[in-house]
Amino acid sequence: MKTWKRFEGILIAAVLANFCSADVRLPAILSDNMVLQRNSEVAIWGWADPDESITVTHTWKPEVQVSQTVKAGPDGTWKIILKTGEAGGPYTLTIQGKNKITIQNILLGEVWFCSGQSNMEWPTSRIENAAPEIQAAAKYPQIRLFQVDKAAAPTPQPDCSGQWKVCSPETVSSFSAIGYLFSRILCDELKVPVGMIGTYWGGTPAEAWTSRDAIQSFPEFEPQLKELDQIKRPILTGAQIRQLQQDWNSQIIQKEPGLPGQWYSESYDDSGWKAMPVPGLWNQDGLDKLDGIVWNRYTFTLPADWTQKELVLELGPIDDVDITWLNGVKIGQTDFYNIHRRYGIQPGTARAGKNLLAIRIWDHMGGGGLYGQPDQVRIYPKDEPDKAVSLAGEWKYKLSISYNDLPGYMDLRPLDQNLPTVLYNAMIAPLIPYGVRGALWYQGESNCGRGEQYKRLLPAMVQDWRKKWGRGDFPFYYVQIAPYDYGNPDDPTSALLREAQFHILSLLNNSGMAVTMDIGNPKDIHPTNKLDVAKRLALWALAKTYGRENLVYSGPLYREMKIEGNKIRLFFDHVGSGLTAKGGPLTHFAIAGEDRKFVPAAAVIEGDTVVVSSPDVPKPAAVRYGFTNSAQPNLFNKEGLPASSFRTDSW
């Protein structure tokens, strides 16, 4: 149990340091390079000895004193509210108790935080035109970025891991692309410093970001809350989790039999291996709860005339890390869990007839395996994708090593990040009450199939955040999820989630929704055009938060319908200077009568309305627009902003 003893020692030392030290301490969010919300009242808080006097002094000069003193409470916590002034800096902040802390290079400006799942997490290094976007960051030292380290906890935590960084090509590369690009637009438009706090985790549902106070009104989550109440393990910081992960990784490298045993070799005997369907997450023989390494092998046949061609192997996304071999030759490796694998194969590596594909998949947390769609797993000549050979089917597999076999793993394994409240506890609660202007949110894919619940859950989460922050109904601008086929392109599952997001606009005060119907990718849940997403969020902020007049900030949003004989006329808000069909006649409209059988419909723009009809439906009752998983329809306003999908019925 060496790993457990090492971390037991770390935890005991940390506890002793916290309770025995007389030093004043601050949360991670209060540190060098931070941005404080301008023209506001902001909280400065921390920990000290009970009844210790704390004096906070700043170097900006609003119309109040530059120094304030407070005594720590019986539990050692203290908080001071400071009034800030106009945008500017750099400034310093001094906290004096029995020890002295000086925070340097502070700017006053606009502060936002961005949260959600993987599309918000998506880093700047992986977007369209990444290189020029990253290089542009060098021009924006007035942007500051704070990325909260991933962590999960069963109860609200007082602090998180992370640090403020000055914007640069190096610091934006791994930061949320949407968060950074939104900051850059605000910096250009407002001519003030901008601070962006990034707190996100790919694949996580909204309930994980919701506090216990808010989620207790949802009885369906009660069994999971009871499960959390039984957890007695230590709460690890992000830094401790990373250290533990490094320990596990080094042990796995030493103990894993697959690589030294050359399980990728053509001569290796895999006759005793079991079979699993690919693509698909590990879901059998206990693998569904496995963190560790599993190998896959698959034999397939190629035409003779492919042997001297450059080929492309596509595998879809893999959770988490893969190394891939063809006929014993390593052809690729990817260390990011939600990247579509696309590996080039040099002429002569493949052969006519039988070929062997071997993949070593290392899953760190959650589900593991190739989890895309069958048409994403294929091989083809580089310039002839229409000749692709499918590799979907029954593959052989063998478990190489499980984290369960490592000393201390079960005791210190991080919490499942998808459980209700755990990300709020570890990645939102520690940020409160830091002064912010508002929040950005891109999430919903992990709540698909629960649209009606989401319609209630997300407003409950936001209203609770606002209540706990105590800064009024701060702006909450979110992204409507983009088209993606989810394995069934004509199914309405994600359209129902988009519908819930649409309705939240009317349920949640001071909110806005960026529509992405035109910039998704039906074959990739992570579209790489994040610049337009950031621009659309910024339009909402500039118009609604910063008072920019005469700014069209939303695409057309369905308001009402009127039946006119054998046609239905649709009315919209946010038509801007007029409606338009992008790229040709309007698409993806469907119409139905009282029989509820929808058929494709013709749709034409008449002024600020759309008229929909079909000869097959002489007495229409309802219209739907873009109401499937993968639809990419073409109704826009003339300002270039797309309409949201919608339906006029509630069937």
Side-chain angles (χ1 to χ4, degrees):
M1 300 294 287
K2 292 181 180 178
T3 303
W4 163 253
K5 290 299 182 184
R6 184 181 305 118
F7 275 86
E8 185 179 46
I10 290 173
L11 292 168
I12 291 172
V15 170
L16 290 175
N18 288 345
F19 284 95
C20 297
S21 171
D23 285 351
V24 175
R25 296 183 297 112
L26 300 176
I29 192 69
L30 298 176
S31 57
D32 291 348
N33 306 315
M34 68 181 177
V35 178
L36 294 177
Q37 179 60 44
R38 61 172 173 159
N39 298 323
S40 181
E41 293 184 342
V42 300
I44 305 298
W45 74 99
W47 303 271
D49 281 348
D51 295 323
E52 184 175 351
S53 291
I54 311 297
T55 299
V56 177
T57 304
H58 59 81
T59 59
W60 61 90
K61 293 179 173 61
E63 296 175 359
V64 295
Q65 70 269 32
V66 296
S67 292
Q68 291 178 243
T69 301
V70 69
K71 279 193 174 183
D75 61 353
T77 62
W78 58 268
K79 181 172 71 173
I80 284 178
I81 302 298
L82 299 181
K83 185 176 181 180
T84 59
E86 296 291 337
Y91 300 114
T92 60
L93 190 68
T94 303
I95 298 91
Q96 180 71 61
K98 294 178 181 177
N99 61 300
K100 181 178 179 180
I101 300 173
T102 300
I103 305 176
Q104 300 177 322
N105 199 24
I106 301 169
L107 299 179
L108 302 186
E110 292 298 297
V111 182
W112 290 75
F113 72 96
C114 58
S115 188
Q117 57 182 111
S118 55
N119 272 306
M120 183 61 84
E121 182 181 355
W122 201 258
T124 310
S125 62
R126 297 184 180 275
I127 63 171
E128 290 179 8
N129 303 312
E133 297 290 6
I134 289 172
Q135 289 307 309
K139 302 176 183 178
Y140 293 90
Q142 285 196 311
I143 294 176
R144 307 294 171 80
L145 309 170
F146 185 98
Q147 184 162 309
V148 179
D149 287 345
K150 293 177 179 176
T155 57
Q157 299 301 294
D159 202 1
C160 62
S161 297
Q163 64 182 105
W164 283 100
K165 296 181 180 179
V166 177
C167 178
S168 70
E170 293 73 31
T171 57
V172 304
S173 181
S174 60
F175 195 81
S176 163
I178 291 172
Y180 159 60
L181 294 169
F182 176 89
S183 302
R184 199 172 78 190
I185 294 167
L186 287 196
C187 194
D188 283 338
E189 292 291 330
L190 304 177
K191 310 300 182 187
V192 299
V194 179
M196 180 60 72
I197 302 166
T199 179
Y200 32 70
W201 195 325
T204 55
E207 59 266 25
W209 299 95
T210 306
S211 79
R212 190 165 193 137
D213 291 337
I215 215 162
Q216 283 179 333
S217 61
F218 295 81
E220 58 267 41
F221 294 120
E222 183 61 27
Q224 292 169 298
L225 294 177
K226 288 182 178 178
E227 179 184 340
L228 283 174
D229 290 339
Q230 303 304 313
I231 293 174
K232 303 300 182 184
R233 72 181 73 170
I235 304 301
L236 303 181
T237 66
Q240 289 168 338
I241 290 173
R242 287 195 301 275
Q243 180 62 55
L244 186 59
Q245 187 72 64
Q246 290 175 14
D247 276 10
W248 291 335
N249 291 353
S250 63
Q251 290 187 65
I252 281 178
I253 291 170
Q254 295 170 11
K255 296 181 178 181
E256 188 227 343
L259 276 178
Q262 298 185 0
W263 291 5
Y264 54 82
S265 170
E266 293 181 273
S267 61
Y268 178 81
D269 180 10
D270 62 11
S271 59
W273 288 27
K274 298 179 181 179
M276 68 162 55
V278 171
L281 290 174
W282 304 334
N283 60 3
Q284 51 196 343
D285 296 332
L287 296 185
D288 57 325
K289 297 185 182 299
L290 175 88
D291 297 325
I293 296 176
V294 171
W295 285 68
N296 285 113
R297 286 165 62 100
Y298 184 68
T299 301
F300 60 98
T301 301
L302 292 180
D305 60 348
W306 285 22
T307 57
Q308 296 307 310
K309 295 181 178 180
E310 184 176 353
L311 305 180
V312 174
L313 172 69
E314 292 186 356
L315 299 170
I318 295 178
D319 196 348
D320 290 303
V321 177
D322 77 288
I323 306 176
T324 299
W325 293 262
L326 180 64
N327 298 328
V329 177
K330 180 179 175 181
I331 59 171
Q333 176 175 345
T334 303
D335 298 332
F336 204 73
Y337 73 96
N338 50 12
I339 293 293
H340 179 87
R341 270 57 169 181
R342 189 177 187 275
Y343 297 138
I345 301 172
Q346 295 304 308
T349 305
R351 63 172 70 99
K354 289 187 177 181
N355 291 262
L356 174 70
L357 186 64
I359 306 177
R360 174 184 183 262
I361 300 176
W362 188 343
D363 176 55
H364 297 304
M365 185 180 296
L370 292 87
Y371 66 93
Q373 303 303 319
D375 60 1
Q376 292 180 299
V377 185
R378 60 183 190 157
I379 189 170
Y380 55 87
K382 181 179 179 181
D383 299 321
E384 301 172 284
D386 57 316
K387 295 184 178 180
V389 171
S390 174
L391 303 180
E394 292 290 313
W395 290 33
K396 291 186 174 183
Y397 79 93
K398 183 177 177 65
L399 171 63
S400 181
I401 191 169
S402 167
Y403 279 6
N404 294 344
D405 301 329
L406 304 179
Y409 170 69
M410 291 308 294
D411 290 322
L412 291 177
R413 179 179 181 176
L415 278 179
D416 180 354
Q417 70 273 18
N418 296 317
L419 291 172
T421 76
V422 296
L423 299 186
Y424 168 84
N425 292 335
M427 299 178 69
I428 296 292
L431 304 175
I432 301 171
Y434 193 84
V436 297
R437 172 70 76 181
L440 308 179
W441 177 257
Y442 194 161
Q443 190 277 339
E445 296 91 344
S446 289
N447 288 84
C448 277
R450 295 187 280 147
E452 281 301 312
Q453 181 194 68
Y454 196 82
K455 193 187 302 183
R456 297 178 292 116
L457 178 60
L458 191 67
M461 182 196 82
V462 176
Q463 289 161 357
D464 183 70
W465 284 5
R466 289 170 170 173
K467 179 180 178 180
K468 286 182 166 56
W469 242 284
R471 300 185 67 84
D473 287 348
F474 59 65
F476 183 82
Y477 301 136
Y478 58 95
V479 183
Q480 189 184 52
I481 61 172
Y484 174 65
D485 66 18
Y486 292 91
N488 189 346
D490 297 324
D491 188 82
T493 301
S494 66
L496 290 166
L497 197 285
R498 280 193 293 274
E499 179 182 64
Q501 293 175 315
F502 185 172
H503 282 294
I504 287 168
L505 271 177
S506 62
L507 300 174
L508 192 61
N509 183 41
N510 203 11
S511 64
M513 181 179 73
V515 178
T516 59
M517 297 299 294
D518 59 323
I519 52 177
N521 183 342
K523 296 300 180 183
D524 190 342
I525 202 170
H526 304 106
T528 55
N529 179 356
K530 302 303 187 194
L531 178 58
D532 281 325
V533 180
K535 286 179 177 178
R536 292 171 190 180
L537 289 169
L539 285 174
W540 278 94
L542 291 170
K544 304 295 285 185
T545 302
Y546 299 108
R548 292 289 176 89
E549 297 181 356
N550 303 316
L551 188 63
V552 177
Y553 52 88
S554 173
L557 298 178
Y558 168 72
R559 183 175 74 243
E560 60 184 339
M561 75 166 195
K562 181 180 179 182
I563 298 175
E564 298 178 351
N566 62 351
K567 300 177 180 180
I568 291 181
R569 187 178 299 272
L570 305 171
F571 298 83
F572 299 86
D573 294 321
H574 302 290
V575 297
S577 57
L579 300 176
T580 185
K582 191 173 183 179
L586 289 173
T587 65
H588 294 87
F589 279 89
I591 195 167
E594 293 296 343
D595 61 0
R596 303 187 178 189
K597 295 180 180 178
F598 283 90
V599 299
V604 294
I605 295 170
E606 292 186 3
D608 290 341
T609 68
V610 173
V611 179
V612 186
S613 63
S614 168
D616 297 326
V617 185
K619 294 182 179 181
V623 168
R624 292 183 176 182
Y625 170 71
F627 214 72
T628 65
N629 285 339
S630 61
Q632 293 181 291
N634 65 341
L635 176 61
F636 287 70
N637 58 28
K638 290 181 179 178
E639 283 70 22
L641 297 174
S644 169
S645 57
F646 65 89
R647 58 175 174 163
T648 68
D649 65 275
S650 58
W651 296 337

